[in-house]
Amino acid sequence: MFSFFKKKKDHPQAPSWASAMNPEEYAAFLEAIDKYFTRHKITFEMLDGCLKTSPNDLGFSTVGLSNLFQICKQDRTNRYTMIVANHFDAMVRAHKASAAFEKLSEDYAQVKQYLGVRLYPQGYLAHIGKEHVMGRDFGGDIYAMLVYDLPDTVQNVNPAKAAKWGKSFEELFATGIQNIRQKYPFPLKQMDLDGPKIWFVGGDHFFVPNIAFDLRQHPQLLGTHGCLIGMPHRHAALIYPVNSTEVILALNKMTVIVHGMEQEGPGSLSSDIFWYRDGHFENVPYALEEGKLKLYPPNSFVEMLNMLAE
């Protein structure tokens, strides 16, 4: 077993992907990981934002660490052993559940109830390969993926398996959206941000950003010119109905909030802000440079602002 702590006493400096942790926090994070795999007699190599394990029966091979890192960072005790153990134990359960589900996956009648659609950052596709998934580009850096929503895991639908069902992609995608809509709540809460009132959607499940598919079903979320929506991570969405030039102030506040939430996670999705109108999502680009916000709105958004200002 590779150990971070037998070789030197000094706390290691956190690499760029974990720079939000100070050396003491990062050392505690590494120690918790080391303890878990030592207990299971699995050797591993630490890579950039992930680890690669030796062959084992628990289903580990190459394991991403970004979500686990974000969860640990939000824990104020710096005692990560239990968090890390629970995280990896859940992955073991998910591996076993996936193996059992694989036997049913060719029978559409049995798997239909588990279909879902989940939003992922485009970068996630690099880990599994776009040829192995089914979905469509949502907008900005977000991809809408067809998945199985199982009790212990969410996993992508394999195109080769789905081809045997004899169903169109549009039918499968619509079924996935409907299943998530029926299965999970999307509680709405309005927040007053010192002027603009922004709707907040939050939940413990992984599908909160799916509120983007249901905006028309919530009239309070839509203004005369649609709405702004940010989906920083899997547990949150922020929405502002566009009715007046106050949208400029709302956009300034939302960018800072969404950017910060995306950085913190867990389950980071996107720092993008979208303008939704007439069933279409258009990215409103921005940049935060040295504490200053720079907006680069598309021409259509500028034209809407000019209309509101008249």
Side-chain angles (χ1 to χ4, degrees), residues 160-176:
K161 285 285 181 68
K164 299 179 182 180
W165 299 336
K167 307 293 181 180
S168 70
F169 169 77
E170 294 300 329
E171 180 180 350
L172 296 176
F173 199 83
T175 298

Side-chain angles (χ1 to χ4, degrees), residues 36 57 74:
Y36 183 87
D57 296 328
Q74 293 179 13

Side-chain angles (χ1 to χ4, degrees), residues 128 184 258 266:
I128 55 180
Y184 296 103
V258 169

Side-chain angles (χ1 to χ4, degrees), residues 36 60 63-69 71-72 81-93 234:
Y36 183 87
F60 296 115
V63 182
L65 297 175
S66 59
N67 285 340
L68 177 58
F69 160 76
I71 295 170
C72 287
T81 301
M82 183 175 295
I83 296 174
V84 168
N86 289 341
H87 180 84
F88 287 131
D89 284 347
M91 292 182 67
V92 173
R93 292 194 301 271
R234 65 196 183 196

Side-chain angles (χ1 to χ4, degrees), residues 112-118 145 147-150 154 173-186 205-211 213-214:
K112 179 180 179 181
Q113 63 180 314
Y114 298 108
L115 288 180
V117 172
R118 181 177 170 187
M145 186 187 299
V147 298
Y148 298 117
D149 179 33
L150 304 176
V154 176
F173 199 83
T175 298
I177 289 176
Q178 180 63 16
N179 284 347
I180 297 302
R181 180 183 294 130
Q182 293 178 342
K183 188 174 181 180
Y184 296 103
F186 297 97
H205 58 83
F206 290 1
F207 298 90
V208 173
N210 281 39
I211 189 69
F213 297 119
D214 292 340

Side-chain angles (χ1 to χ4, degrees), residues 14 17 51 55 108 143 178 182 185 245 263 273:
W17 66 269
L51 58 82
Y108 182 70
Y143 185 81
Q178 180 63 16
Q182 293 178 342
T245 54
Q263 292 291 307
I273 302 291

Side-chain angles (χ1 to χ4, degrees), residues 66-268:
S66 59
N67 285 340
L68 177 58
F69 160 76
Q70 290 174 333
I71 295 170
C72 287
K73 175 58 183 175
Q74 293 179 13
D75 181 79
R76 303 303 181 187
T77 66
N78 291 1
R79 298 175 182 175
Y80 304 142
T81 301
M82 183 175 295
I83 296 174
V84 168
N86 289 341
H87 180 84
F88 287 131
D89 284 347
M91 292 182 67
V92 173
R93 292 194 301 271
H95 173 70
K96 293 179 180 179
S98 295
F101 184 77
E102 184 69 18
K103 299 176 182 179
L104 308 176
S105 61
E106 293 188 7
D107 186 349
Y108 182 70
Q110 295 196 61
V111 303
K112 179 180 179 181
Q113 63 180 314
Y114 298 108
L115 288 180
V117 172
R118 181 177 170 187
L119 299 181
Y120 286 92
Q122 289 278 359
Y124 177 77
L125 300 179
H127 296 290
I128 55 180
K130 203 167 186 176
E131 69 276 12
H132 299 303
V133 304
M134 299 179 68
R136 59 166 63 128
D137 292 332
F138 175 87
D141 60 355
I142 298 178
Y143 185 81
M145 186 187 299
L146 190 67
V147 298
Y148 298 117
D149 179 33
L150 304 176
D152 290 299
T153 186
V154 176
Q155 66 182 59
N156 61 292
V157 174
N158 185 283
K161 285 285 181 68
K164 299 179 182 180
W165 299 336
K167 307 293 181 180
S168 70
F169 169 77
E170 294 300 329
E171 180 180 350
L172 296 176
F173 199 83
T175 298
I177 289 176
Q178 180 63 16
N179 284 347
I180 297 302
R181 180 183 294 130
Q182 293 178 342
K183 188 174 181 180
Y184 296 103
F186 297 97
L188 301 172
K189 180 181 179 180
Q190 200 170 40
M191 305 183 300
D192 189 337
L193 298 183
D194 192 23
K197 293 183 178 180
I198 296 177
W199 290 93
F200 176 79
V201 190
D204 294 333
H205 58 83
F206 290 1
F207 298 90
V208 173
N210 281 39
I211 189 69
F213 297 119
D214 292 340
L215 293 174
R216 290 180 176 177
Q217 298 183 24
H218 302 279
Q220 70 273 38
L221 301 180
L222 298 177
T224 55
H225 295 275
C227 68
L228 298 179
I229 179 170
M231 297 161 282
H233 54 67
R234 65 196 183 196
H235 303 298
L238 286 81
I239 303 168
Y240 174 79
V242 180
N243 289 302
S244 70
T245 54
E246 185 188 58
V247 65
I248 300 174
L249 180 57
L251 180 58
N252 276 265
K253 291 180 178 292
M254 283 182 66
T255 52
V256 175
I257 295 172
V258 169
H259 183 272
M261 293 178 69
E262 188 272 337
Q263 292 291 307
E264 292 181 0
S268 296

